[in-house]
Amino acid sequence: MEEVSSFAPLHNHHAMLIVKECLEHLPEAYSVLCFDTLFHQTIPQFRRQYAISTPPHKTPVPLVKYGFHGLSYANIRDQMAKELGKAKNEVNLVVAHLGSGGSCCLIQNGESKQTTMGVTPLEGLPGGTRSGTIDPSLIFHHTPDCSDTVKVSGRDITKGEFVLNKESGFQALCGTNNFGTITSRAFPSSSSPDDAPQNEEYMAARLTYQLYLDHLLAVLAPYLSHIFSSPSNSTLDGLVFSGGIGEKSVKLREDVVRHFAWVEQLAGTGGGIDEGRNGADVEGTREITKDGSKVRAWVVETSEEDEMVRMAEQELSSLGK
Ligand SMILES: Nc1ncnc2c1ncn2[C@@H]1O[C@H](COP(=O)(O)OP(=O)(O)O)[C@@H](O)[C@H]1O
Ligand SMILES: CC(=O)OP(=O)(O)O
Ligand SMILES: [Mg+2]
């Protein structure tokens, strides 16, 4: 595990510190490691493979897509199956887990079939301080000494990874990594579109919001079409919003769902976003689109902790403990 720490520099090192503390202070306890990548083992090989040669040196793990937020996706899949009264292996979902790092997952028949994060959590959507997918060559021009290392929290990390993980994303675009702040700057509630402020802060927030929405739609559209066009003619059970941004940003959910209004028009459902449901100040799993919508959208409060408890209980009961 030490060896793979560098693959998720914002996460694995801290996870390793917890593992060490547990081993040291709870030596009698039975430890269960819950991997955030496990849920994505069902992604087909052609989507896991990168079109690059095998490196000449040995790497701790093969350089393929692993995906992350798997604990969250498993928990959301289970919550949605319960909500819909379906078996877990029958649900078809497109899930957006949007937190300080964001990713999306295509879930068909209860299994992950594609996700946006890759060999590390950097690929895919931009995040609070992460670049997300960029032209890989850009970093050599931006930080010519990108393979030199810097010390972060007492360990070495390449300058390139530091820039891409910690000095990019929303923070780099508009000076804050909080999407709530970005939305309130970009859409000040008091002003009409005609007298919206044209200052730098407003413009930067606006650009960040547009960029994020655009990246998100560029992922969600093909994921939805995978479900609608599947040979088994399966139905979409939900477009799910989750994570801090997905659970809290009424505006982003509305803009995403409105983008798919054409699906409702073609199908003649009269469906789409239900402003009352979307804006309601309630907690827990709920649908936010009108009854009869073809793209049924939901908010699901994810719990990676619940999924870890479930995995640990399953492991212990299989051992008769
Ligand atoms: N009111 C809000 N509206 C939109 N986004 C919000 C709001 N409050 C917090 N957020 C976003 O939620 C993010 C945290 O999400 P969370 O899933 O808890 O992140 P983490 O990836 O750290 O687990 C914050 O970084 C912020 O961008
Ligand atoms: C795996 C990952 O990127 O998690 P988070 O988005 O919570 O940082
Ligand atoms: Mg999180």
Side-chain angles (χ1 to χ4, degrees):
M1 281 193 69
E2 291 270 25
E3 283 193 358
V4 295
S5 266
S6 64
F7 283 84
L10 300 187
H11 303 87
N12 284 357
H13 174 66
H14 297 102
M16 273 307 300
L17 294 181
I18 295 171
V19 170
K20 282 178 182 161
E21 288 292 313
C22 289
L23 292 177
E24 188 184 334
H25 296 289
L26 302 167
E28 304 301 324
Y30 189 85
S31 296
V32 181
L33 295 174
C34 301
F35 285 83
D36 211 21
T37 50
L38 189 66
F39 187 67
H40 299 299
Q41 295 292 303
T42 44
I43 295 177
Q45 180 68 20
F46 67 90
R47 292 188 179 140
R48 297 172 68 87
Q49 194 70 40
Y50 291 101
I52 188 167
S53 62
T54 308
H57 57 277
K58 196 173 166 347
T59 54
V61 288
L63 302 181
V64 296
K65 180 190 278 286
Y66 291 99
F68 295 85
H69 293 145
L71 296 166
S72 171
Y73 291 129
N75 177 261
I76 291 168
R77 189 262 326 261
D78 293 0
Q79 287 196 54
M80 284 298 294
K82 207 166 163 195
E83 185 72 30
L84 298 159
K86 283 186 151 190
K88 288 180 192 181
N89 63 3
E90 282 177 355
V91 291
N92 296 300
L93 304 167
V94 173
V95 186
H97 173 114
L98 311 173
S100 52
S103 73
C104 298
C105 185
L106 169 66
I107 299 178
Q108 291 180 286
N109 298 321
E111 292 183 342
S112 173
K113 294 295 175 197
Q114 177 61 305
T115 195
T116 51
M117 285 181 173
V119 63
T120 81
L122 195 56
E123 191 178 346
L125 299 173
T129 61
R130 286 176 240 180
S131 66
T133 297
I134 56 166
D135 182 332
S137 294
L138 182 150
I139 193 65
F140 301 111
H141 300 278
H142 178 284
T143 311
D145 57 348
C146 60
S147 61
D148 289 357
T149 56
V150 283
K151 273 246 182 298
V152 180
S153 309
R155 79 224 142 84
D156 289 330
I157 168 170
T158 67
K159 279 189 185 172
E161 281 177 295
F162 184 73
V163 167
L164 296 169
N165 280 288
K166 297 291 272 183
E167 293 187 334
S168 302
F170 307 156
Q171 184 72 44
L173 290 168
C174 68
T176 173
N177 64 4
N178 190 315
F179 199 76
T181 310
I182 294 166
T183 320
S184 49
R185 282 182 190 167
F187 305 97
S189 52
S190 55
S191 55
S192 73
D194 292 336
D195 57 27
Q198 296 299 315
N199 62 46
E200 225 172 275
E201 201 172 69
Y202 163 83
M203 301 295 272
R206 206 73 182 190
L207 176 95
T208 307
Y209 183 87
Q210 287 169 340
L211 181 150
Y212 192 60
L213 176 63
D214 199 53
H215 277 255
L216 189 56
L217 291 173
V219 172
L220 296 178
Y223 282 16
L224 288 173
S225 87
H226 270 298
I227 293 184
F228 287 136
S229 65
S230 78
S232 57
N233 205 15
S234 50
T235 52
L236 170 75
D237 293 305
L239 166 61
V240 177
F241 294 90
S242 194
I245 297 174
E247 289 164 32
K248 291 188 188 122
S249 185
V250 176
K251 169 76 179 152
L252 185 74
R253 294 196 300 260
E254 183 177 328
D255 284 346
V256 169
V257 175
R258 283 203 196 288
H259 184 80
F260 297 108
W262 62 272
V263 178
E264 308 302 336
Q265 277 156 17
L266 275 182
T269 61
I273 196 83
D274 180 316
E275 285 175 21
R277 288 176 177 174
N278 186 37
D281 192 13
V282 288
E283 296 198 342
T285 302
R286 67 182 201 276
E287 189 169 356
I288 55 169
T289 35
K290 293 180 191 146
D291 294 342
S293 296
K294 201 153 168 66
V295 178
R296 297 179 71 183
W298 302 74
V299 178
V300 175
E301 211 177 311
T302 190
S303 176
E304 288 141 318
E305 293 81 3
D306 281 358
E307 176 58 13
M308 286 190 276
V309 170
R310 193 194 65 75
M311 288 168 89
E313 281 175 349
Q314 192 182 341
E315 174 66 16
L316 292 179
S317 79
S318 76
L319 294 167
K321 287 187 187 262

